[in-house]
């Protein structure tokens, strides 16, 4: 890996939305030259923080953008995730990073195994997943949680902490009981778009690390609340995480994060409010 670091620069909170910031042809040129491959630019997948392209040698190249405030000593998630065992992660081949002085951001390109399974993408599509998928999912989640790491999870670009969780919940439900008693290893951005089916692969590992138990399952449960029966199925499979005191706190946290800013026009508002009240009633019982 080759890293070019800025000299005498202080981190600046520059965050590009790659979907809205225009072309990055110079970035793609740099990646192609460094990896000695050609990208199929017409087949790119552009997300807020990353771009992905198939290469001419049958691999996948993921390019991530980070503001300098993310240079936190943890390294790059996809490369670090190569140590995980028992978790369906695309095989990592090579990677490099560099400092973009003009944009004041860091770029990272990783070449990995090309996965031919489509992302599930929408929670509604998850209702048709076979039982075998859920078995693979449980096995992978258990293996991930059992992994020891010194990394700290950074969901939504911010390090997870008890203070962050309690502050979000207190904004909506002051005085609510929100114990955090257990920490495990989490993907930290687990949603339907970051998993494939009918064969399970877990994608986008830039945020993984230690987190309160149940963070991943709570995120998936929360994103499924608008689909009849799906949140209940997530709860059924991950009850060992979500029905612990910490897991219930993680569910309340995900609800509170949305309720801080949302109103009735947001589809998740009603289900989140109902779920949060149920969690609070259960805590009070």
């Amino acid at each position: 890996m080759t890293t070019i670091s800025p000299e005498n620069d202080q981190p600046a909170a520059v965050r590009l939305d790659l979907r809205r910031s225009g072309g990055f042809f110079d970035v793609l040129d740099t990646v192609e030259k460094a990896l000695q491959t050609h990208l199929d630019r017409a087949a790119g997948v552009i997300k807020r923080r990353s771009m992905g392209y198939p290469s001419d040698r049958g691999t996948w190249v993921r390019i991530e953008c980070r503001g300098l405030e993310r240079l936190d000593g943890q390294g790059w998630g996809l490369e670090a995730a190569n140590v995980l065992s028992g978790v369906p992660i695309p095989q990592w081949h090579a990677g490099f990073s560099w400092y973009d002085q003009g944009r004041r951001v860091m770029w990272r390109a990783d070449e990995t195994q090309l996965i031919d399974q489509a992302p599930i993408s929408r929670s509604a599509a998850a209702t048709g997943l076979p039982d075998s998928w859920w078995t693979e999912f449980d096995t992978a989640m258990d293996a991930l949680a059992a992994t020891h790491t010194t990394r700290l999870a950074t969901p939504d670009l911010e390090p997870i902490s008890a203070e962050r969780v309690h502050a979000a919940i207190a904004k909506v439900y002051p005085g609510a009981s929100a114990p955090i008693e257990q920490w495990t290893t989490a993907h930290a951005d687990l949603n339907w778009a970051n998993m494939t089916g009918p064969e399970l692969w877990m994608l986008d590992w830039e945020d993984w690390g230690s987190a309160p138990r149940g963070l991943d399952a709570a995120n998936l449960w929360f994103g499924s609340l608008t689909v009849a029966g799906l949140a209940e199925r997530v709860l059924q499979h991950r009850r060992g995480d979500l029905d612990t005191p910490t897991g219930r706190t993680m569910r309340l946290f995900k609800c509170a994060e949305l309720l801080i800013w949302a109103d009735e026009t947001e589809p998740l508002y009603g289900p989140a409010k109902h779920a949060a009240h149920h969690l609070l009633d259960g805590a009070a019982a």
Side-chain angles (χ1 to χ4, degrees):
M1 180 183 73
T2 300
T3 302
I4 303 174
S5 300
E7 296 182 1
N8 302 319
D9 261 327
Q10 295 300 317
V14 176
R15 293 180 182 174
L16 299 179
D17 186 333
L18 302 184
R19 301 165 300 181
R20 301 171 183 168
S21 301
F24 292 92
F25 303 113
D26 60 315
V27 173
L28 302 185
D29 291 343
T30 298
V31 171
E32 288 181 327
K33 182 178 180 179
L35 294 178
Q36 299 183 27
T37 188
H38 291 285
L39 305 178
D40 184 351
R41 301 189 184 194
V45 176
I46 313 298
K47 298 183 179 181
R48 179 166 54 98
R49 289 186 279 159
S50 67
M51 307 180 284
Y53 299 87
S55 78
D56 62 353
R57 55 172 167 249
T59 58
W60 182 258
V61 176
R62 182 182 183 277
I63 305 164
E64 179 186 346
C65 178
R66 281 190 183 184
L68 301 185
E69 78 283 355
R70 292 292 312 281
L71 300 181
D72 50 15
Q74 293 202 124
W76 297 87
L78 184 55
E79 180 180 2
N82 200 47
V83 304
L84 297 175
S85 177
V87 184
I89 299 172
Q91 183 180 359
W92 179 77
H93 298 312
F96 76 103
S97 54
W98 75 99
Y99 174 52
D100 184 335
Q101 187 170 5
R103 298 184 179 99
R104 290 185 58 79
V105 296
M106 294 291 292
W107 293 98
R108 169 75 183 198
D110 287 283
E111 185 176 13
T112 70
Q113 175 185 1
L114 178 64
I115 302 301
D116 60 5
Q117 297 284 312
I120 298 166
S121 296
R122 296 175 296 104
S123 55
T127 58
L129 292 169
D131 290 344
S132 59
W133 186 95
W134 288 97
T135 299
E136 292 174 10
F137 171 71
D138 282 334
T139 299
M141 293 287 283
D142 291 344
L144 177 61
T147 302
H148 173 73
T149 183
T150 59
R151 292 175 59 86
L152 181 64
T154 55
D156 298 319
L157 301 177
E158 300 294 337
I160 194 69
S161 65
E163 292 76 15
R164 175 182 169 184
V165 172
H166 292 151
I169 293 173
K171 286 181 181 179
V172 187
Y173 301 108
S177 175
I180 297 178
E181 301 171 350
Q182 296 173 289
W183 288 67
T184 59
T185 300
H187 178 284
D189 189 21
L190 195 69
N191 57 66
W192 296 113
N194 281 339
M195 294 187 288
T196 68
E199 180 183 354
L200 173 64
W201 291 92
M202 294 180 169
L203 312 173
D204 286 2
W205 286 86
E206 65 266 28
D207 298 326
W208 77 280
S210 181
R213 181 178 182 180
L215 173 65
D216 283 342
N219 198 48
L220 201 62
W221 165 85
F222 173 75
S224 304
L225 286 173
T226 59
V227 179
L230 187 56
E232 288 80 3
R233 184 152 199 189
V234 174
L235 178 59
Q236 172 190 347
H237 279 267
R238 303 311 304 168
R239 191 174 298 279
D241 292 328
L242 293 176
D243 269 356
T244 65
T246 305
R248 293 176 69 86
T249 295
M250 289 298 96
R251 284 194 278 165
L252 187 60
F253 169 57
K254 297 308 300 184
C255 293
E257 280 192 315
L258 179 121
L259 295 173
I260 287 170
W261 60 266
D263 58 25
E264 289 83 356
T265 62
E266 161 60 47
L268 272 168
Y269 179 84
K273 192 171 185 179
H274 175 79
H277 285 185
H278 177 74
L279 288 164
L280 292 168
D281 289 345

